[in-house]
mmCIF file of all heavy atoms in Angstrom:
data_model
loop_
_atom_site.group_PDB
_atom_site.id
_atom_site.type_symbol
_atom_site.label_atom_id
_atom_site.label_comp_id
_atom_site.label_asym_id
_atom_site.label_seq_id
_atom_site.Cartn_x
_atom_site.Cartn_y
_atom_site.Cartn_z
ATOM 1 N N PRO A 243 0.819 -1.219 0.000
ATOM 2 C CA PRO A 243 0.000 0.000 0.000
ATOM 3 C C PRO A 243 0.846 1.258 0.000
ATOM 4 O O PRO A 243 2.002 1.246 0.434
ATOM 5 C CB PRO A 243 -0.808 -0.125 1.303
ATOM 6 C CG PRO A 243 -0.019 -1.053 2.164
ATOM 7 C CD PRO A 243 0.667 -2.007 1.236
ATOM 8 N N GLN A 244 0.265 2.320 -0.479
ATOM 9 C CA GLN A 244 0.907 3.639 -0.434
ATOM 10 C C GLN A 244 0.623 4.224 0.952
ATOM 11 O O GLN A 244 -0.471 4.679 1.243
ATOM 12 C CB GLN A 244 0.341 4.554 -1.517
ATOM 13 C CG GLN A 244 0.957 5.937 -1.550
ATOM 14 C CD GLN A 244 0.214 6.878 -2.492
ATOM 15 O OE1 GLN A 244 -0.993 7.074 -2.340
ATOM 16 N NE2 GLN A 244 0.914 7.430 -3.461
ATOM 17 N N ARG A 245 1.645 4.205 1.806
ATOM 18 C CA ARG A 245 1.426 4.641 3.183
ATOM 19 C C ARG A 245 1.304 6.159 3.287
ATOM 20 O O ARG A 245 2.028 6.889 2.603
ATOM 21 C CB ARG A 245 2.576 4.172 4.079
ATOM 22 C CG ARG A 245 2.611 2.687 4.320
ATOM 23 C CD ARG A 245 3.769 2.300 5.216
ATOM 24 N NE ARG A 245 5.058 2.550 4.592
ATOM 25 C CZ ARG A 245 6.229 2.404 5.217
ATOM 26 N NH1 ARG A 245 6.265 2.043 6.483
ATOM 27 N NH2 ARG A 245 7.349 2.628 4.566
ATOM 28 N N PRO A 246 0.428 6.652 4.152
ATOM 29 C CA PRO A 246 0.427 8.086 4.453
ATOM 30 C C PRO A 246 1.673 8.435 5.261
ATOM 31 O O PRO A 246 2.011 7.743 6.228
ATOM 32 C CB PRO A 246 -0.851 8.295 5.259
ATOM 33 C CG PRO A 246 -1.228 6.948 5.770
ATOM 34 C CD PRO A 246 -0.640 5.931 4.845
ATOM 35 N N LEU A 247 2.363 9.468 4.839
ATOM 36 C CA LEU A 247 3.557 9.957 5.529
ATOM 37 C C LEU A 247 3.253 11.335 6.083
ATOM 38 O O LEU A 247 2.880 12.245 5.336
ATOM 39 C CB LEU A 247 4.739 10.004 4.557
ATOM 40 C CG LEU A 247 6.080 10.525 5.091
ATOM 41 C CD1 LEU A 247 7.245 9.896 4.308
ATOM 42 C CD2 LEU A 247 6.194 12.054 4.984
ATOM 43 N N TRP A 248 3.385 11.499 7.385
ATOM 44 C CA TRP A 248 3.152 12.800 8.014
ATOM 45 C C TRP A 248 4.430 13.619 7.877
ATOM 46 O O TRP A 248 5.468 13.288 8.440
ATOM 47 C CB TRP A 248 2.749 12.640 9.470
ATOM 48 C CG TRP A 248 1.667 11.626 9.711
ATOM 49 C CD1 TRP A 248 1.708 10.586 10.597
ATOM 50 C CD2 TRP A 248 0.395 11.537 9.068
ATOM 51 N NE1 TRP A 248 0.540 9.863 10.541
ATOM 52 C CE2 TRP A 248 -0.292 10.416 9.608
ATOM 53 C CE3 TRP A 248 -0.247 12.283 8.068
ATOM 54 C CZ2 TRP A 248 -1.567 10.034 9.203
ATOM 55 C CZ3 TRP A 248 -1.522 11.901 7.653
ATOM 56 C CH2 TRP A 248 -2.161 10.806 8.215
ATOM 57 N N ALA A 249 4.344 14.689 7.097
ATOM 58 C CA ALA A 249 5.488 15.563 6.839
ATOM 59 C C ALA A 249 5.265 16.907 7.522
ATOM 60 O O ALA A 249 4.153 17.222 7.945
ATOM 61 C CB ALA A 249 5.669 15.779 5.332
ATOM 62 N N SER A 250 6.332 17.688 7.627
ATOM 63 C CA SER A 250 6.263 18.972 8.318
ATOM 64 C C SER A 250 5.745 18.756 9.739
ATOM 65 O O SER A 250 4.751 19.327 10.158
ATOM 66 C CB SER A 250 5.362 19.952 7.553
ATOM 67 O OG SER A 250 5.359 21.230 8.144
ATOM 68 N N THR A 251 6.470 17.926 10.485
ATOM 69 C CA THR A 251 6.005 17.545 11.818
ATOM 70 C C THR A 251 6.762 18.233 12.947
ATOM 71 O O THR A 251 6.542 17.913 14.116
ATOM 72 C CB THR A 251 6.096 16.024 12.011
ATOM 73 O OG1 THR A 251 7.425 15.575 11.746
ATOM 74 C CG2 THR A 251 5.128 15.314 11.089
ATOM 75 N N SER A 252 7.657 19.151 12.618
ATOM 76 C CA SER A 252 8.249 19.963 13.677
ATOM 77 C C SER A 252 7.257 21.052 14.053
ATOM 78 O O SER A 252 6.540 21.576 13.205
ATOM 79 C CB SER A 252 9.570 20.582 13.226
ATOM 80 O OG SER A 252 9.362 21.453 12.132
ATOM 81 N N THR A 253 7.179 21.369 15.327
ATOM 82 C CA THR A 253 6.198 22.339 15.807
ATOM 83 C C THR A 253 6.668 23.755 15.513
ATOM 84 O O THR A 253 7.740 24.166 15.951
ATOM 85 C CB THR A 253 5.980 22.171 17.321
ATOM 86 O OG1 THR A 253 5.635 20.810 17.588
ATOM 87 C CG2 THR A 253 4.869 23.063 17.810
ATOM 88 N N LYS A 254 5.863 24.489 14.767
ATOM 89 C CA LYS A 254 6.229 25.857 14.413
ATOM 90 C C LYS A 254 5.871 26.855 15.510
ATOM 91 O O LYS A 254 6.498 27.888 15.646
ATOM 92 C CB LYS A 254 5.534 26.263 13.102
ATOM 93 C CG LYS A 254 5.778 25.307 11.928
ATOM 94 C CD LYS A 254 7.240 25.207 11.571
ATOM 95 C CE LYS A 254 7.462 24.424 10.286
ATOM 96 N NZ LYS A 254 7.189 22.985 10.421
ATOM 97 N N ASN A 255 4.841 26.534 16.293
ATOM 98 C CA ASN A 255 4.406 27.408 17.381
ATOM 99 C C ASN A 255 5.011 26.898 18.695
ATOM 100 O O ASN A 255 4.696 25.797 19.132
ATOM 101 C CB ASN A 255 2.879 27.414 17.469
ATOM 102 C CG ASN A 255 2.353 28.435 18.462
ATOM 103 O OD1 ASN A 255 3.015 28.778 19.443
ATOM 104 N ND2 ASN A 255 1.139 28.935 18.223
ATOM 105 N N PRO A 256 5.865 27.679 19.341
ATOM 106 C CA PRO A 256 6.509 27.212 20.574
ATOM 107 C C PRO A 256 5.536 26.973 21.717
ATOM 108 O O PRO A 256 5.902 26.342 22.723
ATOM 109 C CB PRO A 256 7.487 28.343 20.908
ATOM 110 C CG PRO A 256 6.940 29.555 20.215
ATOM 111 C CD PRO A 256 6.300 29.040 18.966
ATOM 112 N N ASP A 257 4.301 27.470 21.593
ATOM 113 C CA ASP A 257 3.306 27.225 22.627
ATOM 114 C C ASP A 257 2.778 25.789 22.586
ATOM 115 O O ASP A 257 2.148 25.330 23.542
ATOM 116 C CB ASP A 257 2.128 28.191 22.482
ATOM 117 C CG ASP A 257 2.524 29.632 22.765
ATOM 118 O OD1 ASP A 257 3.503 29.831 23.499
ATOM 119 O OD2 ASP A 257 1.859 30.546 22.238
ATOM 120 N N TYR A 258 3.016 25.092 21.462
ATOM 121 C CA TYR A 258 2.521 23.729 21.318
ATOM 122 C C TYR A 258 3.584 22.724 21.760
ATOM 123 O O TYR A 258 4.780 22.986 21.653
ATOM 124 C CB TYR A 258 2.129 23.444 19.860
ATOM 125 C CG TYR A 258 1.030 24.331 19.317
ATOM 126 C CD1 TYR A 258 0.856 24.505 17.946
ATOM 127 C CD2 TYR A 258 0.159 24.998 20.173
ATOM 128 C CE1 TYR A 258 -0.147 25.310 17.438
ATOM 129 C CE2 TYR A 258 -0.850 25.810 19.678
ATOM 130 C CZ TYR A 258 -0.999 25.970 18.313
ATOM 131 O OH TYR A 258 -1.986 26.772 17.829
ATOM 132 N N ARG A 259 3.140 21.583 22.223
ATOM 133 C CA ARG A 259 4.054 20.513 22.612
ATOM 134 C C ARG A 259 4.944 20.146 21.419
ATOM 135 O O ARG A 259 4.446 20.014 20.282
ATOM 136 C CB ARG A 259 3.248 19.311 23.090
ATOM 137 C CG ARG A 259 4.069 18.159 23.640
ATOM 138 C CD ARG A 259 3.166 17.183 24.366
ATOM 139 N NE ARG A 259 3.810 15.891 24.640
ATOM 140 C CZ ARG A 259 4.623 15.679 25.661
ATOM 141 N NH1 ARG A 259 4.886 16.659 26.514
ATOM 142 N NH2 ARG A 259 5.153 14.480 25.851
ATOM 143 N N ASP A 260 6.221 19.970 21.661
ATOM 144 C CA ASP A 260 7.162 19.808 20.554
ATOM 145 C C ASP A 260 7.013 18.494 19.797
ATOM 146 O O ASP A 260 7.541 18.345 18.692
ATOM 147 C CB ASP A 260 8.619 19.964 21.030
ATOM 148 C CG ASP A 260 8.996 18.991 22.145
ATOM 149 O OD1 ASP A 260 8.126 18.221 22.597
ATOM 150 O OD2 ASP A 260 10.174 19.010 22.560
ATOM 151 N N VAL A 261 6.262 17.552 20.356
ATOM 152 C CA VAL A 261 6.049 16.276 19.664
ATOM 153 C C VAL A 261 4.560 16.036 19.388
ATOM 154 O O VAL A 261 4.130 14.912 19.155
ATOM 155 C CB VAL A 261 6.630 15.096 20.480
ATOM 156 C CG1 VAL A 261 8.146 15.143 20.473
ATOM 157 C CG2 VAL A 261 6.101 15.080 21.909
ATOM 158 N N ILE A 262 3.787 17.098 19.364
ATOM 159 C CA ILE A 262 2.334 16.971 19.182
ATOM 160 C C ILE A 262 1.976 16.294 17.865
ATOM 161 O O ILE A 262 1.049 15.488 17.789
ATOM 162 C CB ILE A 262 1.635 18.349 19.296
ATOM 163 C CG1 ILE A 262 0.115 18.185 19.219
ATOM 164 C CG2 ILE A 262 2.135 19.318 18.223
ATOM 165 C CD1 ILE A 262 -0.643 19.476 19.436
ATOM 166 N N TYR A 263 2.754 16.603 16.790
ATOM 167 C CA TYR A 263 2.416 16.059 15.477
ATOM 168 C C TYR A 263 2.945 14.644 15.285
ATOM 169 O O TYR A 263 2.803 14.069 14.209
ATOM 170 C CB TYR A 263 2.935 16.983 14.386
ATOM 171 C CG TYR A 263 2.346 18.378 14.475
ATOM 172 C CD1 TYR A 263 3.163 19.503 14.575
ATOM 173 C CD2 TYR A 263 0.967 18.573 14.475
ATOM 174 C CE1 TYR A 263 2.631 20.774 14.665
ATOM 175 C CE2 TYR A 263 0.430 19.843 14.567
ATOM 176 C CZ TYR A 263 1.263 20.942 14.668
ATOM 177 O OH TYR A 263 0.727 22.205 14.761
ATOM 178 N N VAL A 264 3.534 14.110 16.324
ATOM 179 C CA VAL A 264 3.875 12.683 16.350
ATOM 180 C C VAL A 264 2.872 11.953 17.244
ATOM 181 O O VAL A 264 2.236 10.982 16.837
ATOM 182 C CB VAL A 264 5.308 12.452 16.851
ATOM 183 C CG1 VAL A 264 5.658 10.964 16.778
ATOM 184 C CG2 VAL A 264 6.314 13.271 16.036
ATOM 185 N N GLU A 265 2.704 12.449 18.452
ATOM 186 C CA GLU A 265 1.821 11.790 19.421
ATOM 187 C C GLU A 265 0.382 11.688 18.948
ATOM 188 O O GLU A 265 -0.302 10.693 19.207
ATOM 189 C CB GLU A 265 1.854 12.544 20.750
ATOM 190 C CG GLU A 265 3.183 12.468 21.477
ATOM 191 C CD GLU A 265 3.208 13.312 22.736
ATOM 192 O OE1 GLU A 265 2.440 14.300 22.813
ATOM 193 O OE2 GLU A 265 3.998 12.984 23.640
ATOM 194 N N GLU A 266 -0.100 12.725 18.257
ATOM 195 C CA GLU A 266 -1.508 12.760 17.861
ATOM 196 C C GLU A 266 -1.769 12.083 16.520
ATOM 197 O O GLU A 266 -2.911 12.045 16.064
ATOM 198 C CB GLU A 266 -2.001 14.207 17.807
ATOM 199 C CG GLU A 266 -1.923 14.941 19.134
ATOM 200 C CD GLU A 266 -2.723 14.258 20.238
ATOM 201 O OE1 GLU A 266 -3.792 13.709 19.937
ATOM 202 O OE2 GLU A 266 -2.261 14.252 21.401
ATOM 203 N N LEU A 267 -0.715 11.542 15.891
ATOM 204 C CA LEU A 267 -0.883 10.928 14.572
ATOM 205 C C LEU A 267 -0.252 9.537 14.546
ATOM 206 O O LEU A 267 0.536 9.190 13.677
ATOM 207 C CB LEU A 267 -0.269 11.823 13.492
ATOM 208 C CG LEU A 267 -0.960 13.177 13.307
ATOM 209 C CD1 LEU A 267 -0.218 14.036 12.310
ATOM 210 C CD2 LEU A 267 -2.416 12.987 12.879
ATOM 211 N N ILE A 268 -0.618 8.728 15.540
ATOM 212 C CA ILE A 268 -0.124 7.361 15.638
ATOM 213 C C ILE A 268 -1.208 6.407 15.143
ATOM 214 O O ILE A 268 -2.335 6.416 15.642
ATOM 215 C CB ILE A 268 0.258 7.018 17.089
ATOM 216 C CG1 ILE A 268 1.405 7.923 17.566
ATOM 217 C CG2 ILE A 268 0.638 5.551 17.211
ATOM 218 C CD1 ILE A 268 1.752 7.763 19.038
ATOM 219 N N ALA A 269 -0.857 5.612 14.142
ATOM 220 C CA ALA A 269 -1.776 4.602 13.616
ATOM 221 C C ALA A 269 -0.981 3.603 12.789
ATOM 222 O O ALA A 269 0.083 3.940 12.251
ATOM 223 C CB ALA A 269 -2.876 5.242 12.771
ATOM 224 N N PRO A 270 -1.470 2.392 12.655
ATOM 225 C CA PRO A 270 -0.753 1.380 11.871
ATOM 226 C C PRO A 270 -0.584 1.793 10.414
ATOM 227 O O PRO A 270 -1.462 2.432 9.831
ATOM 228 C CB PRO A 270 -1.662 0.153 11.988
ATOM 229 C CG PRO A 270 -2.458 0.367 13.217
ATOM 230 C CD PRO A 270 -2.673 1.844 13.301
ATOM 231 N N GLY A 271 0.563 1.438 9.844
ATOM 232 C CA GLY A 271 0.785 1.653 8.421
ATOM 233 C C GLY A 271 1.097 3.077 8.050
ATOM 234 O O GLY A 271 0.852 3.485 6.907
ATOM 235 N N THR A 272 1.640 3.870 8.973
ATOM 236 C CA THR A 272 1.969 5.266 8.677
ATOM 237 C C THR A 272 3.476 5.490 8.801
ATOM 238 O O THR A 272 4.208 4.671 9.347
ATOM 239 C CB THR A 272 1.247 6.230 9.634
ATOM 240 O OG1 THR A 272 1.629 5.936 10.981
ATOM 241 C CG2 THR A 272 -0.261 6.094 9.488
ATOM 242 N N VAL A 273 3.903 6.631 8.277
ATOM 243 C CA VAL A 273 5.290 7.081 8.378
ATOM 244 C C VAL A 273 5.273 8.477 8.978
ATOM 245 O O VAL A 273 4.383 9.280 8.670
ATOM 246 C CB VAL A 273 5.980 7.128 6.989
ATOM 247 C CG1 VAL A 273 7.417 7.625 7.115
ATOM 248 C CG2 VAL A 273 5.939 5.767 6.316
ATOM 249 N N ASN A 274 6.238 8.777 9.843
ATOM 250 C CA ASN A 274 6.383 10.140 10.347
ATOM 251 C C ASN A 274 7.827 10.548 10.097
ATOM 252 O O ASN A 274 8.753 9.963 10.656
ATOM 253 C CB ASN A 274 6.057 10.227 11.841
ATOM 254 C CG ASN A 274 5.765 11.654 12.276
ATOM 255 O OD1 ASN A 274 6.579 12.545 12.056
ATOM 256 N ND2 ASN A 274 4.613 11.864 12.895
ATOM 257 N N THR A 275 8.033 11.525 9.221
ATOM 258 C CA THR A 275 9.381 11.987 8.910
ATOM 259 C C THR A 275 9.671 13.230 9.737
ATOM 260 O O THR A 275 8.931 14.207 9.698
ATOM 261 C CB THR A 275 9.575 12.242 7.401
ATOM 262 O OG1 THR A 275 10.939 12.596 7.158
ATOM 263 C CG2 THR A 275 8.661 13.322 6.880
ATOM 264 N N MET A 276 10.755 13.185 10.517
ATOM 265 C CA MET A 276 11.034 14.213 11.513
ATOM 266 C C MET A 276 12.457 14.735 11.377
ATOM 267 O O MET A 276 13.364 13.978 11.042
ATOM 268 C CB MET A 276 10.900 13.641 12.929
ATOM 269 C CG MET A 276 9.721 12.752 13.180
ATOM 270 S SD MET A 276 9.855 11.960 14.818
ATOM 271 C CE MET A 276 8.991 10.415 14.498
ATOM 272 N N PRO A 277 12.667 16.016 11.677
ATOM 273 C CA PRO A 277 14.036 16.488 11.873
ATOM 274 C C PRO A 277 14.644 15.734 13.049
ATOM 275 O O PRO A 277 13.922 15.225 13.917
ATOM 276 C CB PRO A 277 13.860 17.975 12.199
ATOM 277 C CG PRO A 277 12.491 18.320 11.752
ATOM 278 C CD PRO A 277 11.670 17.077 11.877
ATOM 279 N N GLU A 278 15.965 15.677 13.113
ATOM 280 C CA GLU A 278 16.610 14.926 14.185
ATOM 281 C C GLU A 278 16.214 15.452 15.557
ATOM 282 O O GLU A 278 16.096 14.676 16.521
ATOM 283 C CB GLU A 278 18.132 14.957 14.027
ATOM 284 C CG GLU A 278 18.842 14.053 15.013
ATOM 285 C CD GLU A 278 20.334 13.948 14.778
ATOM 286 O OE1 GLU A 278 20.852 14.622 13.864
ATOM 287 O OE2 GLU A 278 20.994 13.196 15.520
ATOM 288 N N SER A 279 15.974 16.755 15.674
ATOM 289 C CA SER A 279 15.603 17.325 16.969
ATOM 290 C C SER A 279 14.286 16.744 17.474
ATOM 291 O O SER A 279 14.116 16.510 18.683
ATOM 292 C CB SER A 279 15.481 18.846 16.858
ATOM 293 O OG SER A 279 14.493 19.212 15.898
ATOM 294 N N VAL A 280 13.346 16.500 16.570
ATOM 295 C CA VAL A 280 12.064 15.919 16.981
ATOM 296 C C VAL A 280 12.227 14.446 17.332
ATOM 297 O O VAL A 280 11.599 13.947 18.274
ATOM 298 C CB VAL A 280 11.009 16.115 15.873
ATOM 299 C CG1 VAL A 280 9.677 15.479 16.265
ATOM 300 C CG2 VAL A 280 10.804 17.604 15.590
ATOM 301 N N ILE A 281 13.077 13.746 16.590
ATOM 302 C CA ILE A 281 13.357 12.346 16.925
ATOM 303 C C ILE A 281 13.897 12.243 18.350
ATOM 304 O O ILE A 281 13.445 11.417 19.151
ATOM 305 C CB ILE A 281 14.351 11.740 15.921
ATOM 306 C CG1 ILE A 281 13.691 11.591 14.544
ATOM 307 C CG2 ILE A 281 14.857 10.380 16.408
ATOM 308 C CD1 ILE A 281 14.631 11.128 13.448
ATOM 309 N N HIS A 282 14.860 13.101 18.679
ATOM 310 C CA HIS A 282 15.436 13.064 20.023
ATOM 311 C C HIS A 282 14.418 13.500 21.078
ATOM 312 O O HIS A 282 14.403 12.967 22.194
ATOM 313 C CB HIS A 282 16.681 13.934 20.086
ATOM 314 C CG HIS A 282 17.841 13.381 19.308
ATOM 315 N ND1 HIS A 282 18.211 12.061 19.359
ATOM 316 C CD2 HIS A 282 18.723 13.977 18.459
ATOM 317 C CE1 HIS A 282 19.259 11.856 18.582
ATOM 318 N NE2 HIS A 282 19.585 12.997 18.019
ATOM 319 N N ALA A 283 13.571 14.474 20.725
ATOM 320 C CA ALA A 283 12.548 14.921 21.670
ATOM 321 C C ALA A 283 11.573 13.791 21.978
ATOM 322 O O ALA A 283 11.192 13.574 23.134
ATOM 323 C CB ALA A 283 11.801 16.126 21.116
ATOM 324 N N TYR A 284 11.178 13.050 20.937
ATOM 325 C CA TYR A 284 10.253 11.935 21.178
ATOM 326 C C TYR A 284 10.929 10.839 21.997
ATOM 327 O O TYR A 284 10.313 10.251 22.897
ATOM 328 C CB TYR A 284 9.727 11.361 19.865
ATOM 329 C CG TYR A 284 8.455 10.563 20.080
ATOM 330 C CD1 TYR A 284 7.222 11.181 19.978
ATOM 331 C CD2 TYR A 284 8.497 9.217 20.427
ATOM 332 C CE1 TYR A 284 6.045 10.473 20.221
ATOM 333 C CE2 TYR A 284 7.338 8.499 20.672
ATOM 334 C CZ TYR A 284 6.115 9.139 20.569
ATOM 335 O OH TYR A 284 4.963 8.440 20.828
ATOM 336 N N ALA A 285 12.193 10.585 21.699
ATOM 337 C CA ALA A 285 12.925 9.579 22.463
ATOM 338 C C ALA A 285 13.008 9.965 23.943
ATOM 339 O O ALA A 285 13.013 9.109 24.829
ATOM 340 C CB ALA A 285 14.329 9.399 21.893
ATOM 341 N N ASP A 286 13.016 11.275 24.204
ATOM 342 C CA ASP A 286 13.145 11.765 25.569
ATOM 343 C C ASP A 286 11.817 11.793 26.323
ATOM 344 O O ASP A 286 11.735 11.388 27.483
ATOM 345 C CB ASP A 286 13.751 13.168 25.553
ATOM 346 C CG ASP A 286 13.888 13.749 26.950
ATOM 347 O OD1 ASP A 286 14.733 13.244 27.698
ATOM 348 O OD2 ASP A 286 13.139 14.699 27.278
ATOM 349 N N HIS A 287 10.743 12.274 25.666
ATOM 350 C CA HIS A 287 9.489 12.458 26.413
ATOM 351 C C HIS A 287 8.220 12.206 25.601
ATOM 352 O O HIS A 287 7.125 12.579 26.028
ATOM 353 C CB HIS A 287 9.430 13.882 27.000
ATOM 354 C CG HIS A 287 9.651 14.962 25.980
ATOM 355 N ND1 HIS A 287 10.878 15.535 25.759
ATOM 356 C CD2 HIS A 287 8.791 15.578 25.123
ATOM 357 C CE1 HIS A 287 10.770 16.466 24.821
ATOM 358 N NE2 HIS A 287 9.514 16.498 24.420
ATOM 359 N N GLY A 288 8.350 11.576 24.438
ATOM 360 C CA GLY A 288 7.156 11.264 23.664
ATOM 361 C C GLY A 288 6.297 10.209 24.347
ATOM 362 O O GLY A 288 6.809 9.333 25.046
ATOM 363 N N GLU A 289 4.991 10.301 24.126
ATOM 364 C CA GLU A 289 4.052 9.353 24.729
ATOM 365 C C GLU A 289 3.322 8.587 23.636
ATOM 366 O O GLU A 289 2.594 9.176 22.838
ATOM 367 C CB GLU A 289 3.042 10.092 25.610
ATOM 368 C CG GLU A 289 3.666 10.810 26.789
ATOM 369 C CD GLU A 289 2.643 11.550 27.636
ATOM 370 O OE1 GLU A 289 1.422 11.396 27.357
ATOM 371 O OE2 GLU A 289 3.038 12.270 28.558
ATOM 372 N N THR A 290 3.545 7.285 23.597
ATOM 373 C CA THR A 290 2.849 6.420 22.643
ATOM 374 C C THR A 290 1.622 5.848 23.347
ATOM 375 O O THR A 290 1.731 4.976 24.214
ATOM 376 C CB THR A 290 3.770 5.286 22.152
ATOM 377 O OG1 THR A 290 4.943 5.860 21.560
ATOM 378 C CG2 THR A 290 3.060 4.422 21.128
#
């Protein structure tokens, strides 16, 4: 299948949680492409 890939997932508004566009878009068969800073942020405090 052609998987949906969530792009532009770094938070542009500093008032928003820095991993919001990862945490709120979790589902089977998806891709989330992140800058390294977001990858490390999720590794540190992301909630699955």
Side-chain angles (χ1 to χ4, degrees):
Q244 180 189 56
R245 290 180 294 174
L247 179 152
W248 312 128
S250 185
T251 55
S252 62
T253 306
K254 306 299 188 290
N255 187 331
D257 293 335
Y258 299 159
R259 185 167 166 82
D260 57 357
V261 290
I262 185 175
Y263 300 124
V264 184
E265 292 176 335
E266 299 302 324
L267 295 175
I268 297 174
T272 59
V273 179
N274 198 305
T275 184
M276 317 171 210
E278 187 174 3
S279 60
V280 178
I281 291 174
H282 291 315
Y284 199 91
D286 179 70
H287 53 264
E289 297 179 6
T290 302

